[in-house]
Amino acid sequence: AAQEQVSIQQERLLQLRHTLNCPHRAMTCPVSRHCGNMRMLWRHMLRCKAEFCSFPYCISSRFLLQHYRSCPKDTCAVCRPVRDTYKRPRSETEEREILE
């Protein structure tokens, strides 16, 4: 159960990170089927300051991003693999394989 939670958090970070830099228009991304929804989530999170927000994945994503940005551990089970994934540029095909 703990490893499954780590995998879910890693996937969310990868999706959010992809969407932040995705050059494709909303809902037309050939790399990730989640890109459009993640864009909406980003737009919402940028303005949301609510402590108890009902927008899907807002609170958990804000918490996760805050952890990711400030995580000092090179051994963090959530952050390390995500950082390692983005250390080198990838083709759309490689990124699609990571995100799906």
Side-chain angles (χ1 to χ4, degrees):
Q3 182 56 42
E4 183 178 334
Q5 187 64 29
V6 166
S7 294
I8 289 169
Q9 291 173 334
Q10 289 171 340
E11 183 177 332
R12 176 89 50 82
L13 282 170
L14 288 167
Q15 291 290 343
L16 286 167
R17 189 154 179 182
H18 162 77
T19 302
L20 192 60
N21 300 306
C22 182
H24 302 285
R25 298 183 73 207
M27 307 311 247
T28 63
C29 176
V31 176
S32 172
R33 67 180 186 266
H34 303 290
C35 195
N37 290 331
M38 291 291 119
R39 281 179 199 261
M40 287 188 287
L41 177 58
W42 265 118
R43 274 191 224 109
H44 171 81
M45 287 190 309
L46 288 173
R47 67 179 193 280
C48 180
K49 304 296 181 231
E51 187 175 347
F52 301 104
C53 179
S54 62
F55 193 92
Y57 307 109
C58 176
I59 298 289
S60 60
S61 294
R62 284 193 289 157
F63 179 82
L64 186 58
L65 285 167
Q66 183 178 10
H67 168 80
Y68 182 75
R69 286 186 198 117
S70 62
C71 182
K73 295 185 195 175
D74 283 341
T75 57
C76 177
V78 174
C79 300
R80 174 77 189 260
V82 174
R83 286 190 178 109
D84 288 349
T85 298
Y86 278 94
K87 277 188 178 174
R88 69 175 186 86
R90 301 193 177 281
S91 69
E92 279 191 2
T93 302
E94 290 173 309
E95 193 160 340
R96 187 178 310 114
E97 289 171 3
I98 291 167
L99 294 173
E100 297 300 328

